[in-house]
Amino acid sequence: MGDKYLIVGGVAGGATAATRLRRLDESAEIVVFERGEYISYANCGLPYHVGGVIPARSALLLHTPESLKARYNIDVRVKQEVVSIDRENKTVRVRRADGSEYDESYGKLLLATGSSPMRPGIPGIDSDRVLTLWTVPDADRLRGWIREKGAKSAVVVGGGFIGLEAAENLKRAGLSVSVVEMDRQVMPPLDFEMAQLLHEEMEKQGIALRLEKGVTAFEDADDGIIVRLGGETLKADMAVLAIGVKPNSQIAAAAGLTLNARGGIVVNARLQTDDPDIYAAGDVIEVRNIVDGSRAMIPLAGPANKQGRIAADNMAGGDSAYAGSLGTSVLKLFDLTAASAGLSEKALVKSGKVRGEHFDSVTIVQNDHAGYYPGAVPMTIKLLFGKPDGRVLGAQIVGRNGVDKRIDVLATVIRLGGTVKTLTELELAYAPPYSSAKDPVNMAGFVAENALRGRAVFSRWDAIETTPEAVVLDVREDVEREAWRLPRSKDIPLGQLRNRLGELNPELPVIVLCAAGVRAYNAARILMQNGFKGVSIYPGGAMHYRSTHYLDEIDAIEHGRIADSGDVEEAEPVLSLRVDCRGMQCPGPLMRVFEELEKLKDGDVVEVSASDPGFQRDIEAWTRRTGNGLLSVRREGPDTVALLRKGNREAAVQAPEGERGKTIIVFSGDLDRVLASLIIANGAAAMGRKVTMFFTFWGLNALRKPEGARVKKGLIDRMFGAMMPKGVGRMKLSKMHMLGMGTSMMKHVMRKKNVFSVGEMLQKARAAGVRLVACTMSMDVMGIQREELLDGIEYAGVGSYLGDAEEADLNLFV
Ligand code: FAD
């Protein structure tokens, strides 16, 4: 006791250590050196002060030198920088603001010098208009540019959490904001597809995002700053630099203490440097990553504060150990919260781990609380776990509500070495306003357990593009598809799947998708138990697909393939009905709207409220496709409120030119003609077009089962049936059949040249979602019964064909 402790750095780690030391040792002399003007301030609150969310600057200043002196008897010396350490004589050299210097001796020394924003040698970086957001004076400067100098625009360079918080708050302060990021994604702790949810949110909020762009130069202009990104230039009133931090370890390096390659001070578990009287804590040290034992720099406030406390314990003679960091972090980005803990997929792959072999991941979309309680909104959880032990390695969550509590539960499980099984067993607090009886964390555990046991396989988020040979099976209802459909899919609603299995080829890989994942899982189980090989579930369903592919949708709007939501009419109509769909998860709101509109007459106006975040996009597309009018859409807190006018289907928007369907009447029963029509149908389906093949008269023979069927028929029908070919295998060429020789030769040549047989083409057409429709009228005339035709085809009259023909831009008669 009675030792002398010097602490360099007076904010998170330093201030915590100083007050802890006082509590442990009342008689010690404690001196804190801080080169800045402020100590113990809330640097994490600075962005919100810039945005005006925390209006009072004083709220951020937690202590002053005077208050620390009065309450803790700590000698705080601000505007004094420690410039060197003399380890032999155990003194530090201190430089005052006026340049004068003196030495101060220590018994134990703590380096809590933190980190500083990186300022690489980019030309023009020293301009007054290139700012950072790290300290209280930085925040003052930014506010000054906005309030006094009237800045109206800013380019934020860097998409890490400080850059994004700065962007949100500058936008809140009324500026137009661009974010430039060198990587292909913002928020490095997230995997790319999860970051896409943030990119989408930024686009929605009007932030201009420039990914994969590095700043090559800043140039002062008369009335602003030009930010050069290679060929592209951005002009704004100011630029905010947030491209990462470097540890303030210069004095440690000069004193010969060991540093890692990134300049982080190397410490042992007691947070001692290789000089036993010198400790270090906070952003400046290298830590052990608790998940895989690797060494890392994790500059976050939670670890800095805890390390300050542990270092103080040990400096005062105790024996505390710092186990390591998980990198648990959380970010508010407009309406979204993004959080992560542990390792990402990127990090695992970088460390040599192989997905599927050493680890796996599941992605689920779950409501934050019971769907029937108002205000439920979905969150997307990506869980990474080891194989085969199921140890939870990392988690990422993006959503609107309840994200923080879920990431904390997951971070705790990771910290304690828990497994997927632990997640299934956790008993978490539940009442409808807060959670579901199966909390999203439990659900992530259940799904991961299914994946570990091989009951479900999850595709990657980009599997639909990267595995073109796979059939994409959409098991949503038709009404959902009216709002949005995949670029390619075979559509069978879950309720019809068992009866329509014949339409799918069990040998081909199948990716199953629904709105969020539950129906897809059920569909996958049906397929797997019916002998289908290679069945995978699209993780997070249509919701996740749309967010991870949001750029495709923007592109479609820009190229006129989808109308913009800005096209809605202005009106003040008389309401006929209010429909409250809050708390319903997709597709609930759409189904409900559909049912309610059915009961109304044309022209009636309905107001629909929904909390499902995807509802706005859905209702826009759905009204357009169904001929109903969308009068307005507005946000009310977390809800979307849409005003609709019932219209009729005739008013439905035609698919744009080039995206319209193709119809083919297959009248002929000749092998070559049926083959030609199937080639066209498969080609059009592969281009993503809707195709209907209407089989009538002799063409019906192409759909006959080769093995026939036991059906009761009259004599004429039986004779007729016996004379006609059963299925494509028995069809003949229209020319040069030559008692079968010509037809056999043709089939031989096709096989030799690897051309699919007609039967295979028919199967492929079915798998690609081509509508195969048998004409019921000609079936009747020709005495053909349903049992004789292939499974999975549709039966309809000419009306159905004409409906499709009207929406098509190519109608063939073969
Ligand atoms: P600091 O708190 O940075 O303190 C180091 C101090 O040492 C500085 O004041 C510096 O002036 C002083 N110093 C350095 N060298 C010397 C010297 N030679 N002599 C005297 N004094 C010296 N983390 C989160 O976990 N969540 C968040 O939401 C979050 N938001 C943030 C937002 C912003 C804008 C910023 C800047 C940081 C944020 N952080 C956040 C990070 C967090 O603030 C840091 O990880 C934490 O403050 C690190 O604590 P530290 O004690 O190591 O360093």
Side-chain angles (χ1 to χ4, degrees):
M1 295 289 155
D3 212 337
K4 181 170 177 184
Y5 305 114
L6 298 192
I7 297 173
V8 191
V11 188
T16 300
T19 51
R20 174 80 176 165
L21 275 169
R22 173 56 71 224
R23 284 187 284 271
L24 296 174
D25 187 349
E26 182 57 24
S27 60
E29 185 182 351
I30 305 170
V31 185
V32 175
F33 299 98
E34 170 53 56
R35 66 181 174 192
E37 195 179 342
Y38 303 95
I39 52 146
S40 189
Y41 63 84
N43 37 13
C44 308
L46 294 174
Y48 302 96
H49 181 50
V50 171
V53 183
I54 305 173
R57 184 175 182 274
S58 57
L60 301 171
L61 306 174
L62 310 177
H63 274 291
T64 60
E66 295 71 34
S67 71
L68 280 189
K69 179 73 187 163
R71 203 176 291 176
Y72 296 99
N73 189 25
I74 293 171
D75 176 2
V76 180
R77 303 181 191 170
V78 291
K79 299 196 202 164
Q80 299 201 14
E81 180 173 4
V82 172
V83 289
S84 62
I85 307 165
D86 179 346
R87 287 168 57 189
E88 209 164 310
N89 295 307
K90 293 183 74 175
T91 59
V92 296
R93 165 129 312 197
V94 186
R95 186 178 296 152
R96 298 188 188 90
D98 62 7
S100 61
E101 293 185 357
Y102 66 96
D103 290 336
E104 190 71 56
S105 65
Y106 63 82
K108 300 266 186 293
L109 175 67
L110 173 66
L111 302 177
T113 46
S115 50
S116 297
M118 288 202 266
R119 285 185 84 97
I122 300 171
I125 199 163
D126 294 326
S127 160
D128 285 352
R129 291 181 188 262
V130 179
L131 304 153
T132 48
L133 177 52
W134 198 254
T135 59
V136 176
D138 285 347
D140 292 342
R141 262 192 296 278
L142 268 167
R143 278 172 67 95
W145 270 98
I146 298 167
R147 300 188 159 212
E148 283 130 41
K149 300 186 186 166
K152 293 274 173 291
S153 56
V155 175
V156 175
V157 185
F161 74 89
I162 294 184
L164 296 189
E165 286 178 355
E168 171 176 347
N169 281 286
L170 291 169
K171 183 87 189 158
R172 187 188 288 275
L175 278 74
S176 77
V177 180
S178 311
V179 172
V180 178
E181 167 57 55
M182 212 172 202
D183 199 356
R184 67 170 182 150
Q185 68 166 86
V186 300
M187 279 305 275
L190 298 182
D191 285 316
F192 174 75
E193 77 276 18
M194 295 296 282
Q196 282 283 76
L197 277 63
L198 304 188
H199 302 159
E200 184 188 26
E201 175 72 6
M202 290 165 80
E203 293 279 355
K204 258 195 225 161
Q205 300 287 348
I207 301 272
L209 186 58
R210 297 279 187 285
L211 294 171
E212 296 181 270
K213 297 269 161 123
V215 177
T216 49
F218 295 101
E219 279 166 28
D220 273 321
D222 289 346
D223 53 348
I225 187 150
I226 292 166
V227 183
R228 291 206 181 277
L229 316 172
E232 193 184 351
T233 53
L234 299 174
K235 191 170 175 216
D237 293 324
M238 60 184 179
V240 179
L241 206 58
I243 53 173
V245 294
K246 58 173 185 350
N248 296 326
S249 55
Q250 301 83 343
I251 52 170
L257 299 176
T258 306
L259 307 186
N260 69 9
R262 292 170 66 187
I265 302 176
V266 175
V267 290
N268 62 19
R270 288 169 45 81
L271 303 181
Q272 250 167 338
T273 64
D274 36 26
D275 182 328
D277 292 325
I278 305 180
Y279 292 74
D283 286 5
V284 77
I285 65 166
E286 174 193 88
V287 292
R288 175 178 169 269
N289 185 313
I290 221 162
V291 184
D292 64 356
S294 63
R295 312 304 297 183
M297 301 297 291
I298 300 186
L300 288 171
N305 277 280
K306 287 174 200 86
Q307 291 156 12
R309 187 171 186 274
I310 288 170
D313 284 355
N314 294 330
M315 288 165 80
D319 190 17
S320 293
Y322 185 68
S325 301
L326 275 184
T328 309
S329 65
V330 64
L331 164 83
K332 176 186 171 314
L333 185 64
F334 298 101
D335 291 344
L336 290 185
T337 301
S340 65
L343 300 176
S344 62
E345 182 167 352
K346 274 184 307 198
L348 284 162
V349 170
K350 204 168 161 201
S351 70
K353 301 281 185 291
V354 179
R355 188 191 161 96
E357 193 181 325
H358 304 113
F359 75 95
D360 221 330
S361 78
V362 294
T363 301
I364 61 164
V365 177
Q366 285 287 309
N367 274 344
D368 66 319
H369 63 250
Y372 55 81
Y373 186 88
V377 281
M379 67 177 81
T380 306
I381 304 181
K382 177 169 181 178
L383 184 80
L384 293 128
F385 48 92
K387 276 183 101 172
D389 59 2
R391 192 175 146 223
V392 183
L393 302 174
Q396 299 163 37
I397 315 183
V398 178
R400 283 212 253 164
N401 289 335
V403 170
D404 50 343
K405 100 167 169 176
R406 272 50 184 234
I407 202 69
D408 282 346
V409 173
L410 288 162
T412 310
V413 171
I414 298 173
R415 173 70 182 79
L416 298 176
T419 63
V420 156
K421 186 153 189 295
T422 319
L423 301 182
T424 66
E425 290 168 351
L426 286 179
E427 190 181 320
L428 301 169
Y430 162 60
Y434 304 107
S435 179
S436 299
K438 286 180 273 187
D439 187 86
V441 169
N442 296 134
M443 285 305 293
F446 295 143
V447 175
E449 194 177 53
N450 284 334
L452 265 178
R453 295 194 178 163
R455 290 192 196 121
V457 176
F458 289 85
S459 75
R460 284 180 51 93
W461 66 274
D462 55 357
I464 293 178
E465 301 83 64
T466 55
T467 41
E469 70 281 13
V471 173
V472 181
L473 177 63
D474 183 348
V475 294
R476 296 176 304 151
E477 300 298 318
D478 291 343
V479 60
E480 294 171 80
R481 262 187 293 279
E482 281 182 334
W484 176 83
R485 57 179 311 133
L486 282 158
R488 66 181 179 102
S489 62
K490 166 76 183 164
D491 308 327
I492 306 181
L494 177 63
Q496 300 174 20
L497 185 59
R498 285 187 182 84
N499 296 329
R500 294 177 59 186
L501 285 176
E503 295 175 37
L504 297 164
N505 182 346
E507 300 304 322
L508 287 178
V510 185
I511 302 170
V512 197
L513 171 142
C514 66
V518 180
R519 282 173 288 171
Y521 173 50
N522 285 300
R525 294 300 301 157
I526 294 174
L527 294 177
M528 288 164 92
Q529 293 178 67
N530 276 282
F532 279 74
K533 312 195 174 83
V535 180
S536 61
I537 299 163
Y538 188 82
M543 279 197 224
H544 194 52
Y545 181 92
R546 290 180 77 178
S547 289
T548 51
H549 294 74
Y550 78 98
L551 281 176
D552 299 348
E553 218 155 302
I554 291 180
D555 187 58
I557 289 171
E558 280 172 3
H559 290 90
R561 298 200 300 279
I562 301 179
D564 194 350
S565 57
D567 296 348
V568 293
E569 293 172 36
E570 297 283 341
E572 276 190 28
V574 183
L575 267 194
S576 307
L577 183 70
R578 268 206 174 88
V579 183
D580 186 356
C581 301
R582 283 173 303 169
M584 287 183 183
Q585 200 174 335
C586 174
L590 266 191
M591 310 279 262
R592 177 82 194 281
V593 170
F594 172 73
E595 282 160 20
E596 296 296 341
L597 286 192
E598 287 290 284
K599 297 177 203 156
L600 300 177
K601 56 183 190 314
D602 285 358
D604 283 350
V605 174
V606 183
E607 186 185 89
V608 189
S609 315
S611 51
D612 170 21
F615 180 70
Q616 180 171 347
R617 272 190 313 198
D618 282 354
I619 200 72
E620 283 164 5
W622 187 82
T623 46
R624 230 176 12 252
R625 298 236 168 101
T626 54
N628 294 294
L630 181 61
L631 305 182
S632 67
V633 191
R634 64 178 194 278
R635 290 291 283 275
E636 274 186 10
D639 303 326
T640 303
V641 182
L643 215 55
L644 315 181
R645 175 174 283 128
K646 179 169 172 166
N648 53 41
R649 289 213 159 236
E650 284 82 73
V653 172
Q654 291 278 346
E657 202 73 22
E659 262 197 18
R660 294 168 66 179
K662 320 281 169 203
T663 67
I664 305 172
I665 299 178
V666 187
F667 174 82
S668 163
D670 296 329
L671 178 67
D672 39 0
R673 293 200 165 110
V674 172
L675 180 63
S677 60
L678 281 167
I679 291 170
I680 297 167
N682 276 312
M687 286 166 64
R689 301 289 177 262
K690 194 174 145 198
V691 184
T692 302
M693 296 182 80
F694 191 70
F695 292 84
T696 183
F697 289 94
W698 312 114
L700 281 171
N701 291 319
L703 299 180
R704 290 181 77 192
K705 287 179 184 158
E707 69 278 11
R710 286 178 173 271
V711 283
K712 274 198 169 173
K713 282 189 179 183
L715 181 65
I716 298 181
D717 286 350
R718 270 218 310 277
M719 281 170 58
F720 221 41
M723 287 187 300
M724 289 189 304
K726 289 199 185 83
V728 286
R730 308 226 180 119
M731 285 180 162
K732 299 173 187 164
L733 285 177
S734 60
K735 290 196 169 65
M736 300 196 327
H737 175 59
M738 297 184 297
L739 297 171
M741 255 172 61
T743 302
S744 300
M745 272 166 63
M746 167 73 101
K747 288 182 181 169
H748 173 74
V749 173
M750 281 170 68
R751 258 199 312 276
K752 232 176 128 198
K753 300 205 168 171
N754 283 332
V755 177
F756 287 121
S757 70
V758 187
E760 282 168 331
M761 281 211 204
L762 197 61
Q763 254 186 21
K764 287 207 171 296
R766 278 199 298 184
V770 172
R771 280 186 75 200
L772 303 179
V773 184
C775 167
T776 43
M777 188 276 286
S778 45
M779 279 172 69
D780 197 30
V781 171
M782 303 186 68
I784 297 177
Q785 298 186 16
R786 289 186 181 211
E787 291 76 5
E788 293 174 81
L789 299 188
L790 297 171
D791 294 332
I793 60 169
E794 297 174 46
Y795 299 90
V798 69
S800 163
Y801 162 74
L802 289 174
D804 283 358
E806 269 179 30
E807 284 182 13
D809 59 359
L810 177 75
N811 302 304
L812 298 176
F813 185 91
V814 182

